Amino acid sequence: QVQLVESGGGLVQAGGSLRLSCGASGINFRIAIMGWYRQAPGKQRELVAIITSGGSTNYADSVKGRFTISRDNAQNTVYLRMNSLEPEDTAVYYCQANHLGHAYWGQGTQVTVSS
């Protein structure tokens, strides 16, 4: 059974920082492509950042230079470091694992940025 468990969300003032974590089980984490997505109220879910098994990364234009995705294969965990947070970053953040052609999702963690 595949499980992705996110943590680290919360309420932060604009300009602040948070680090999200996503622990994975039930997959061969080392070969999975891991990603962070977010969904704001009334909006579609969007890609925030992605990291391949080889460590290559890609970011949405809106977060480039502010967010950093990383992974620890020994801990089966992917992280999203978020700096210089803006109210527009407020959303539920979801972890995704793309593993052998299947996509798995976590339950999401709320990030709220106050102005």
Side-chain angles (χ1 to χ4, degrees):
Q1 182 181 358
V2 178
Q3 280 194 319
L4 301 175
V5 180
E6 302 102 330
S7 61
L11 173 63
V12 64
Q13 287 189 330
S17 298
L18 284 173
R19 189 180 78 157
L20 305 183
S21 300
C22 171
S25 60
I27 59 172
N28 184 348
F29 184 81
R30 293 177 181 274
I31 68 170
I33 298 170
M34 301 300 298
W36 286 98
Y37 291 72
R38 68 186 180 187
Q39 187 166 19
K43 294 188 176 182
Q44 288 190 331
R45 192 173 296 188
E46 62 176 1
L47 174 67
V48 175
I50 195 167
I51 185 166
T52 69
S53 57
S56 298
T57 59
N58 197 21
Y59 297 91
D61 288 343
S62 58
V63 307
K64 280 181 183 176
R66 300 188 298 123
F67 290 11
T68 302
I69 189 171
S70 61
R71 64 192 296 160
D72 184 339
N73 288 339
Q75 298 295 324
N76 287 2
T77 301
V78 62
Y79 303 98
L80 185 68
R81 177 68 181 181
M82 305 185 294
N83 295 330
S84 303
L85 282 161
E86 303 167 353
E88 292 74 22
D89 296 316
T90 295
V92 178
Y93 283 71
Y94 297 91
C95 174
Q96 188 208 55
N98 195 307
H99 181 258
L100 299 178
H102 296 278
Y104 303 95
W105 294 92
Q107 81 288 352
T109 185
Q110 176 70 46
V111 171
T112 302
V113 184
S114 63
S115 57

